[in-house]
Amino acid sequence: MDCAGERDWLVRTMNAEVASKAATASHSVWRGLADIRVLALALVYFGTSAGLYTLGVWAPQIIKQFGLSSFAVGFLNAVPPTIAVVVMIWWARHSDRTAERTWHVVLACVVAAVGLWLAGLSTSVAAVLAALTLVNVGISSSKPPLWSMPTMFLSGSAAAAGIATINSIGNLGGFVGPAMIGWIKDQTGSFNGGLYFVAGLLVISAVLTLLLSRSQAAKAAPATQS
């Protein structure tokens, strides 16, 4: 195939992809608000927000319980997010390079959940710092591929409304996660139960992402066959 032929083929393929998306997703604002896939992603984001704000609110207190000074707590608390920034950039680039989103979100959520579980089991500063690093890496790495997912099935005003819905509902996790940890700590005197609770939310996020991906694949299969 010569250059002109390749160019024409690429243009036709891109136009077909745009037409396919337009045929399967309404561009109306209401579609973006009511789409069950948007609600699923909002719940996924809910879990990641719970994990993110848990770190912001409670990570210093979790570290400080080992009897460290405020200066030491501040210094150590800066280590996990610094590592997470580097990993997040690499993970996002890997997602773009492979054009894969689902497993990049799922694995990141699972890593964060494991980190929270290990933080609850940790009995030393080094162990809890390693666990919090896993949480930071997982939460931060889940965000870029997650925000790439709505535009895979929505476009136009529906995409804008869908992203706003995901952000609005998902950010409630930033309240629920830290609040539950505080409440459980008041009841039990330990961070463990609250950390396990937020870990469970992240596991749910991973499962919902997988279910959403399978649903999308099932819908795309008939279109491909036809």
Side-chain angles (χ1 to χ4, degrees):
M1 184 182 296
D2 57 20
C3 292
E6 291 179 352
R7 182 176 62 252
D8 292 341
W9 173 85
L10 181 59
V11 170
R12 289 195 304 272
T13 301
M14 293 175 67
N15 288 338
E17 290 177 352
V18 172
S20 174
K21 182 183 291 186
T24 57
S26 169
H27 293 273
S28 70
V29 171
W30 293 112
R31 175 59 182 261
L33 292 173
D35 196 309
I36 188 65
R37 295 168 294 186
V38 170
L39 298 178
L41 285 177
L43 292 177
V44 173
Y45 190 53
F46 185 96
T48 62
S49 293
L52 177 65
Y53 284 90
T54 290
L55 290 171
V57 175
W58 291 111
Q61 293 297 320
I62 293 172
I63 297 173
K64 191 174 180 62
Q65 68 181 335
F66 292 96
L68 302 175
S69 67
S70 296
F71 176 80
V73 169
F75 178 78
L76 292 176
N77 191 51
V79 173
T82 301
I83 297 173
V85 168
V86 177
V87 178
M88 177 187 67
I89 294 173
W90 172 79
W91 194 245
R93 289 180 175 176
H94 187 271
S95 178
D96 286 341
R97 187 167 61 251
T98 59
E100 201 286 326
R101 308 301 180 194
T102 300
W103 284 105
H104 282 80
V105 175
V106 170
L107 292 176
C109 288
V110 170
V111 166
V114 170
L116 287 166
W117 177 66
L118 291 175
L121 298 176
S122 299
T123 57
S124 68
V125 176
V128 82
L129 196 63
L132 291 176
T133 299
L134 284 178
V135 182
N136 273 271
V137 166
I139 294 295
S140 299
S141 298
S142 71
K143 301 291 187 178
L146 175 58
W147 282 118
S148 298
M149 296 183 77
T151 54
M152 294 171 63
F153 54 84
L154 293 174
S155 59
S157 58
I163 290 172
T165 301
I166 293 167
N167 195 49
S168 299
I169 297 175
N171 273 322
L172 293 175
F175 167 77
V176 173
M180 285 299 296
I181 288 181
W183 182 79
I184 293 173
K185 185 177 187 298
D186 286 342
Q187 300 300 312
T188 65
S190 171
F191 287 108
N192 294 7
L195 293 173
Y196 299 152
F197 172 80
V198 178
L201 292 179
L202 283 160
V203 171
I204 293 173
S205 293
V207 172
L208 284 173
T209 304
L210 276 176
L211 293 176
L212 179 61
S213 175
R214 291 188 177 184
S215 174
Q216 282 295 103
K219 289 182 178 180
T224 304
Q225 293 173 359
S226 60

